[in-house]
Amino acid sequence: MQQSSQSPDVAPPLPDMNLLPALDALLRAGSVAGAAAELNVSPSAMSRTLGRLRRVVGDPLLVPSGRGLTLTPRAHEMQPRVQAALAAAVAALRPPREVELATLRREFRIRTNDGVAMSLGAPLLALAAREAPGVRLRLLPEGDEDPADLRTHVDLDVGELPDPLPHDVRSSALHEHRYVAIARADAEFARGPLTAARFAALPHLTVTRRGRTHSVVDERLAELGLHRDILATAPTYAAACFFALRTDALALVPSEVATEASRVMPLAVLEIPLDLPTVASGQAWHVRLDTDPAHRWLRGALARVAERVGGGGERRSRVRGAGEAVL
């Protein structure tokens, strides 16, 4: 018994999809000449195409009827499916349409730190409620983050971005933030500006997820012959705010976090009396979402919020790199 030369696990080859527009024109026009005129080809070329279609479909499709042609029952049965398939193919190859924000239903997973969530989260939610009420935001905490996660379960990374990023990840700058010191408002040392010596003499609270205790602050103090004592490290900026509220220590946080925290807590915001660099903040996403209209809206919305909250951003030297900047 002769066996088939083709394995049952191998799919048959696809037909020439270039035949689909010709088949649609032939079925609608009901004539070779009419289909040829519609597709701007010669009648002889269309006649050859009809011959190919007959072999592929296994049906004559158009048969003589009096002085013209008529569709076979198979051709009548195929016609709505051919039209739908061609319309779907054309729609798939068109550039994406602008998203209808009012009817958009989408969930976005954004990975960021609690400082960004504190300063940008509420304004972003308010903006989404106005422009795209069907959008839902899922904020994921930072951890041992890997940019490769953007290929799967993270839609957007926001904060300090690693440099360089993978080749298939896109990014854009949001703003650059500076650090300030916060302390409980009734602390005696919170009255009046800090000098470098006074700043160094006070106990400090820093934010780090990895327990680091040395940073550019210590380098600047060392240049002045000064040294600070780090009382404790906190895993989040929110925790540092609560620590500062209950101790006689300074917590060093981004200015946007200090602004938000001082609105709801009795905290004083103090300028750090050192020449410190600002920290670049950005957003990163996988190339698969680059042209997605809804994701483009999200990126634009976040940029607008960051511009408003950050006051246009700082323009001093940057600290770049993965993870938090320990101040």
Side-chain angles (χ1 to χ4, degrees):
M1 179 173 148
Q2 186 176 4
Q3 294 183 347
S4 171
S5 60
Q6 184 171 342
S7 168
D9 295 331
V10 178
L14 289 173
D16 184 357
M17 301 306 290
N18 290 322
L19 295 173
L20 193 60
L23 177 58
D24 177 62
L26 284 164
L27 296 181
R28 285 188 291 101
S31 74
V32 170
E38 180 177 331
L39 296 185
N40 197 27
V41 299
S42 67
S44 59
M46 183 57 68
S47 181
R48 290 193 295 272
T49 300
L50 176 58
R52 291 181 62 195
L53 283 165
R54 284 168 170 166
R55 290 191 295 274
V56 170
V57 175
D59 186 88
L61 299 174
L62 293 171
V63 295
S65 177
R67 304 180 67 176
L69 297 172
T70 189
L71 272 62
T72 66
R74 174 75 190 282
H76 276 295
E77 183 267 331
M78 289 174 62
Q79 189 170 16
R81 290 189 291 136
V82 169
Q83 290 178 342
L86 183 59
V90 170
L93 294 174
R94 281 182 179 143
R97 295 179 298 175
E98 288 302 314
V99 65
E100 294 289 339
L101 294 178
T103 58
L104 177 64
R105 296 292 181 272
R106 187 80 171 263
E107 177 178 296
F108 292 108
R109 291 156 296 181
I110 304 173
R111 181 169 59 190
T112 191
N113 61 58
D114 77 309
V116 173
M118 288 173 67
S119 58
L120 301 186
L124 183 60
L125 282 173
L127 179 60
R130 292 194 304 270
E131 296 186 2
V135 162
R136 296 294 177 263
L137 303 180
R138 302 291 180 256
L139 268 61
L140 309 177
E142 287 184 333
D144 294 326
E145 54 273 2
D146 184 347
D149 294 338
L150 291 166
R151 298 172 187 147
T152 54
H153 63 280
V154 175
D155 296 313
L156 201 62
D157 253 338
V158 181
E160 299 168 49
L161 303 177
D163 186 15
L165 287 164
H167 67 90
D168 56 347
V169 172
R170 303 288 182 264
S171 67
S172 65
L174 288 175
H175 68 287
E176 295 180 14
H177 59 262
R178 63 190 183 88
Y179 276 75
V180 296
I182 57 172
R184 56 187 179 86
D186 60 352
E188 184 177 348
F189 62 84
R191 298 168 191 163
L194 291 174
T195 63
R198 196 169 171 217
F199 172 80
L202 292 167
H204 284 216
L205 303 165
T206 64
V207 177
T208 171
R209 288 175 285 115
R210 297 177 178 89
R212 299 170 184 163
T213 57
H214 186 83
S215 76
V216 66
V217 171
D218 301 282
E219 294 170 7
R220 295 293 184 268
L221 288 173
E223 292 169 0
L224 300 173
L226 299 171
H227 173 78
R228 65 171 175 164
D229 177 30
I230 297 179
L231 177 67
T233 62
T236 65
Y237 292 113
C241 292
F242 278 102
F243 286 0
L245 199 61
R246 295 291 184 265
T247 65
D248 286 327
L250 293 174
L252 309 188
V253 299
S255 59
E256 295 90 345
V257 171
T259 299
E260 290 299 316
S262 63
R263 286 175 179 165
V264 294
M265 298 179 179
L267 292 171
V269 180
L270 306 169
E271 293 293 329
I272 298 174
L274 299 172
D275 184 19
L276 299 176
T278 56
V279 181
S281 177
Q283 53 183 338
W285 62 95
H286 191 258
V287 66
R288 67 189 168 86
L289 296 169
D290 202 33
T291 59
D292 177 65
H295 199 272
R296 280 206 311 263
W297 168 82
L298 174 66
R299 301 192 308 258
L302 188 58
R304 280 183 281 155
V305 168
E307 178 75 13
R308 186 166 67 247
V309 171
E314 302 289 339
R315 288 294 178 264
R316 294 194 288 168
S317 58
R318 299 183 179 185
V319 172
R320 293 186 60 83
E324 75 282 7
V326 182
L327 297 186

